[in-house]
């Protein structure tokens, strides 16, 4: 279980988008019952880990927004891993190259935590199953189990009950993040489930994925949080409208925002739209869906 001191390993942490996000009700434990179709995108962080003698953890990143202490989800994932396997923790020096926008609704922190778990399993406990690793991930955060397996999946419950789905057909994805954070608890607090005017057609979205029908998928992309966004975040809906006017097949906020994504049928169309959005926004990215198994 102990790698040689001086050993280094690294793993890719992909960003995620919500092709749909629905809130079905409030649970007895206070959490909301969710149904979300999740999709990994190629925009990714790199999580690197050096193994040392001794049991200290250190973390650093090229982004000032990533915590360099035990609040970092890669750090928390490492601690959870060694607690779960009951092994003595080696010294770990974690370095995160950050490309996924932070506090963006793209699960960047959860994905770094998931990458850390995949890395530790690969290096130290290859007999560990995906289910065992996802159970450790669930103790780190609700989105971590999904980020461990990645690609396309339906997430229910708090986000930890996962069903694999066929991949999003090839397309180009435009991302635009306005320069303000949106508090996830504030958005959940604004939701009155019975007053939500629209819900995504999650079953229809899953069927469209099964059929590889990109147009059918695009018709069903929807996030219920858009309906309860406080007026001060109106720019999110403006970006969505701008993408639709700039030939997106669909556009939506991801997670609790504020990033908006648009699905484009060609890289050229996405590039043209990106050029327009870059006049007003600093964080604009052109990416694509990721397919294949991460585990
Ligand atoms: P989600 O989509 O899961 O709501 P998010 O994309 O909105 O997540 P993150 O980028 O994961 O948000 O970051 C949210 C907060 O988590 C940040 O304010 C940051 O302090 C903290 N955090 C902890 N670890 C990390 C990490 N490795 N990378 C980025 N943020 C991290």
């Amino acid at each position: 279980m102990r790698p040689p001191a001086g050993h280094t390993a690294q793993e890719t942490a992909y960003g995620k988008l919500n092709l749909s996000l629905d809130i079905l009700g409030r649970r007895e434990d206070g959490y909301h019952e969710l149904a979300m179709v999740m999709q990994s995108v190629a925009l990714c962080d790199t999580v690197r880990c050096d193994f040392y003698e001794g049991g200290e953890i250190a973390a650093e990143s090229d982004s000032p927004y990533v915590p360099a202490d035990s609040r970092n989800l890669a750090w928390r994932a490492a601690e959870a891993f060694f607690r779960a396997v009951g092994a003595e923790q080696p010294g770990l020096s974690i370095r995160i190259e950050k490309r996924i926008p932070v506090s963006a609704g793209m699960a960047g922190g959860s994905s770094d935590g998931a990458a850390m778990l995949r890395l530790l399993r690969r290096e130290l406990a290859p007999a560990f199953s995906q289910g065992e690793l996802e159970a450790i991930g669930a103790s780190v955060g609700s989105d971590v189990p999904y980020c461990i397996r990645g690609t396309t999946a339906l997430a229910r419950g708090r986000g930890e009950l996962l069903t694999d789905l066929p991949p999003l057909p090839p397309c180009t994805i435009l991302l635009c993040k306005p320069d303000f954070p949106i508090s996830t608890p504030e958005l959940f607090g604004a939701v009155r489930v019975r007053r939500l005017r629209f819900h995504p057609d999650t079953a229809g979205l899953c069927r469209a994925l099964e059929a590889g029908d990109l147009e059918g998928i695009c018709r069903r992309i929807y996030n219920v949080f858009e309906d309860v966004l406080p007026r001060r975040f109106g720019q999110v809906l403006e970006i969505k409208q701008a993408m639709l006017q700039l030939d997106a097949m669909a556009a939506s906020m991801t997670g609790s925002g504020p990033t908006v994504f648009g699905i484009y049928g060609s890289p050229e169309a996405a590039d043209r739209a990106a050029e327009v959005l870059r006049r007003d926004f600093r964080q604009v990215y052109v990416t694509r869906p990721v397919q294949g198994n991460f585990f």
Side-chain angles (χ1 to χ4, degrees):
M1 176 59 72
R2 193 166 266 277
H7 182 67
T8 299
Q10 72 175 47
E11 180 73 20
T12 302
Y14 293 100
K16 73 92 191 160
L17 298 178
N18 288 92
L19 299 182
S20 68
L21 191 157
D22 198 7
I23 303 178
L24 304 173
R26 196 76 190 255
R27 297 151 46 120
E28 285 189 354
D29 61 9
Y31 288 93
H32 287 86
E33 187 69 25
L34 304 173
M36 308 182 283
V37 174
M38 318 280 255
Q39 173 64 49
S40 302
V41 292
L43 184 66
C44 61
D45 298 341
T46 304
V47 177
R48 189 163 292 127
C49 184
D50 295 325
F51 294 87
Y52 289 107
E53 294 292 342
E56 299 291 306
I57 301 184
E60 59 170 347
S61 170
D62 53 0
S63 163
Y65 305 112
V66 174
D69 53 30
S70 62
R71 288 171 301 167
N72 190 308
L73 291 180
W75 179 313
R76 297 237 307 265
E79 286 180 333
F81 179 87
F82 288 103
R83 242 191 339 266
V85 299
E88 196 188 328
Q89 185 183 287
L92 302 173
S93 173
I94 303 165
R95 180 168 171 76
I96 297 171
E97 272 173 45
K98 199 79 197 161
R99 294 181 211 90
I100 304 170
V102 178
S103 299
M106 293 187 64
S110 300
S111 191
D112 292 346
M116 191 69 208
L117 290 175
R118 285 199 305 268
L119 181 157
L120 291 171
R121 171 193 169 273
R122 190 184 69 221
E123 299 296 320
L124 303 176
F128 245 58
S129 70
Q130 179 172 319
E132 285 170 303
L133 206 64
E134 288 180 0
I136 301 174
S139 74
V140 180
S142 303
D143 281 346
V144 178
Y146 161 71
C147 291
I148 288 173
R149 68 170 72 184
T151 67
T152 315
L154 172 65
R156 289 171 300 124
R158 291 168 51 186
E160 80 290 9
L161 302 174
L162 298 168
T163 310
D164 288 330
L165 289 168
L168 182 62
C171 59
T172 305
I173 296 173
L174 176 61
L175 303 170
C176 178
K177 180 189 172 292
D179 271 336
F180 49 79
I182 298 180
S183 152
T184 306
E186 182 188 346
L187 267 199
F188 272 112
V191 172
R192 299 284 169 275
V193 176
R194 282 202 217 110
R195 293 212 198 132
L196 288 171
R197 290 180 299 162
F198 312 107
H199 289 272
D201 172 12
T202 309
L205 178 54
C206 294
R207 279 196 300 274
L209 283 160
E210 299 279 354
D213 168 13
L214 185 58
E215 285 187 7
I217 293 164
C218 286
R219 276 200 304 279
R220 294 175 174 89
I221 284 175
Y222 184 65
N223 179 341
V224 291
F225 279 137
E226 288 179 16
D227 205 22
V228 298
L229 265 186
R231 206 168 286 163
R232 68 184 191 281
F233 301 132
Q235 215 171 31
V236 168
L237 301 178
E238 287 168 21
I239 296 170
K240 172 172 166 160
Q241 284 313 317
M243 286 189 184
L244 291 171
Q245 278 164 14
L246 292 162
D247 299 329
M249 296 172 72
S252 180
M253 186 172 83
T254 177
S256 55
T259 305
V260 179
F261 68 94
I263 306 277
Y264 284 83
S266 76
E268 293 76 20
D271 284 338
R272 276 195 301 275
E275 210 178 300
V276 175
L277 288 169
R278 283 195 184 109
R279 292 180 201 149
D280 294 316
F281 299 97
R282 283 186 311 126
Q283 296 185 79
V284 177
Y285 311 87
V286 177
T287 186
R288 59 179 171 77
V290 189
Q291 306 183 346
N293 197 343
F294 293 3
F295 192 73

